[in-house]
Amino acid sequence: MLAESARGFLDADAPVSKLRKMRDDGKTHDPELWAEMAAMGWCGVLVPEDNGGVDMGHAAAGVIAHELGKTLAVSPFLSTAVMAATALKQVDSAASAERLSAIAEGRLTYALALDETSKFAPENSQLACEKSGNGFRLNGQKSFVVDGGFADRVLVLARSGEGPEDLTLFDLPADRAGITRNDQAMIDSRNAARLEFDNVDATGDDIIGAAGDAMTVLRPALQAGQAALSAEMTGLAAGAADMTVGYLKERQQFGRPIGSFQALQHRAAHLWCEMEVTGSAILHAGRMLDSDPGNAAMAVSLAKARAIKTAKLAVIEGVQMHGGIGMTDAFDMGFFMKRARVASEWLGDYGYHAEQVADARGF
């Protein structure tokens, strides 16, 4: 029921043609669409009912993300409703409760400032956090901050000691003095920014969780984001596959549909099988996050690794089986391919997650 509701809404209000228009108009955020998602309860999908959310869990968040992927809908759903909400839920404070309510109502958007190099490695963060009077002072930079160009607040990971996980997570307003935001050009026509921190003052009230123990709060949020991003990528693969199969049924060659040729049938069937297996892995990851979050790491990494492979297969097959038109900007398949490329890197690429699975298996 949730999937059908989401599909109907997105087909009508956020089809692929809307992404194309946003790209052509130079826009990377649609506040009106975000407000509609909030009215449908999507922004509060992981927010407790006491804070105005619907608290439907990670499996439900994956259902929404999957449908967002099918039409390439642009929104801060993953950054705000999934990762920031999950992080804030780990903290029992009046400020976190207030911000969770604001997320559920669609009044507050977040971005996560984690990466500093071209690869996902939050534990290697070097953004400096030094004691300054009764508070802290932040200096450094973060890159590939998804939604960082327009988000109201930013979760910032900073190094507060010499230990490998001696990190502190700050929840700062994006317009805090000393923070400079520079948009980064993204091939998937979405927003990401490079953030510069120049003597940014913070207090103990800005810390999420405990100083020097960021990963306790951040790790569940990252796993929630990785699982939801995997679901979005499988939705993306399904959207690309639907276009491709439709084309195979209508394109005529030698007096019959090209889909009647066995060579193309076999390739389409192989893609369908890969999507089904990956879908099962993603559903398992969502259920593990809901029922046994302390042991969900391997399920999440397995889902992300499979989602990357499947999305890549779907868009490559889509371009090839559409022939020459698959390569043109006038055709929508390119948007699926570009989103697949960016999503493959965000929150860990195939190598990162394959290594996590291998470590968990003792290889």
Side-chain angles (χ1 to χ4, degrees):
M1 183 180 295
L2 178 61
E4 290 178 3
S5 172
R7 191 175 311 142
F9 167 69
L10 293 169
D11 285 345
D13 287 46
V16 180
S17 59
K18 184 162 188 171
L19 169 63
R20 178 183 292 278
K21 187 173 189 313
M22 289 178 67
R23 194 252 342 233
D24 293 346
D25 293 343
K27 296 180 179 177
T28 55
H29 180 46
D30 183 351
E32 292 181 2
L33 180 65
W34 185 239
E36 290 183 81
M37 292 180 179
M40 296 177 69
W42 294 6
C43 301
V45 67
L46 294 177
V47 175
E49 293 182 11
D50 289 345
N51 301 117
V54 292
D55 204 11
M56 296 176 67
H58 295 280
V63 170
I64 296 172
H66 181 272
E67 298 304 324
L68 289 169
K70 288 184 77 173
T71 66
L72 301 177
V74 178
S75 82
F77 179 75
L78 293 181
S79 299
T80 301
V82 176
M83 289 192 281
T86 301
L88 292 168
K89 282 167 61 175
Q90 313 299 315
V91 183
D92 184 14
S93 72
S96 292
E98 181 181 342
R99 287 162 194 163
L100 282 168
S101 297
I103 287 175
E105 294 172 5
R107 293 187 288 108
L108 195 61
T109 55
Y110 268 89
L112 275 69
L114 308 174
D115 295 331
E116 297 172 8
T117 66
S118 59
K119 290 297 180 182
F120 175 74
E123 295 88 352
N124 295 336
S125 290
Q126 297 299 320
L127 189 142
C129 164
E130 297 178 344
K131 290 272 189 180
S132 176
N134 293 326
F136 304 89
R137 183 158 289 173
L138 308 182
N139 280 288
Q141 61 83 30
K142 295 286 185 180
S143 61
F144 194 27
V145 181
V146 175
D147 301 329
F150 64 82
D152 302 304
R153 300 188 70 86
V154 185
L155 295 183
V156 184
L157 187 62
R159 178 155 298 282
S160 49
E162 298 297 326
E165 289 203 358
D166 198 352
L167 301 162
T168 299
L169 187 64
F170 291 88
D171 182 350
L172 303 177
D175 59 357
R176 175 71 58 88
I179 298 178
T180 302
R181 301 194 277 190
N182 299 299
D183 285 338
Q184 289 181 295
M186 301 291 290
I187 60 170
D188 63 348
S189 305
R190 297 172 191 240
N191 183 266
R194 177 185 297 277
L195 270 56
E196 306 286 344
F197 296 78
D198 183 11
N199 290 323
V200 177
D201 289 323
T203 71
D205 291 339
D206 293 321
I207 295 175
I208 296 292
D213 190 25
M215 297 311 292
T216 298
V217 171
L218 185 59
R219 191 171 285 114
L222 293 178
Q223 291 175 354
Q226 289 158 345
L229 182 57
S230 302
E232 184 198 316
M233 294 183 75
T234 308
L236 175 162
D242 286 348
M243 288 179 60
T244 303
V245 172
Y247 184 72
L248 297 184
K249 290 178 179 178
E250 69 180 30
R251 173 78 166 91
Q252 298 281 324
Q253 198 167 39
F254 308 118
R256 55 178 176 157
I258 60 173
S260 64
F261 302 128
Q262 277 193 335
L264 297 180
Q265 288 177 3
H266 292 168
R267 289 168 62 174
H270 172 63
L271 174 58
W272 183 84
C273 292
E274 290 297 312
M275 290 193 299
E276 286 295 301
V277 174
T278 301
S280 296
I282 291 167
L283 182 59
H284 177 60
R287 288 174 175 171
M288 284 294 291
L289 287 170
D290 286 330
S291 62
D292 189 9
N295 293 304
M298 188 172 76
V300 169
S301 281
L302 179 63
K304 182 69 159 58
R306 280 211 61 94
I308 291 169
K309 285 276 189 180
T310 302
K312 181 179 179 181
L313 176 66
V315 297
I316 287 176
E317 289 289 56
V319 168
Q320 291 187 356
M321 286 197 269
H322 275 89
I325 64 171
M327 294 294 293
T328 65
D329 183 71
F331 198 66
D332 287 341
M333 188 58 71
F335 287 102
F336 287 88
M337 176 170 277
K338 292 168 184 173
R339 178 55 182 164
R341 189 70 188 89
V342 174
S344 295
E345 295 295 326
W346 191 25
L347 302 177
D349 61 12
Y350 180 85
Y352 175 89
H353 287 286
E355 184 176 0
Q356 301 299 310
V357 174
D359 287 344
R361 290 291 183 92
F363 296 142

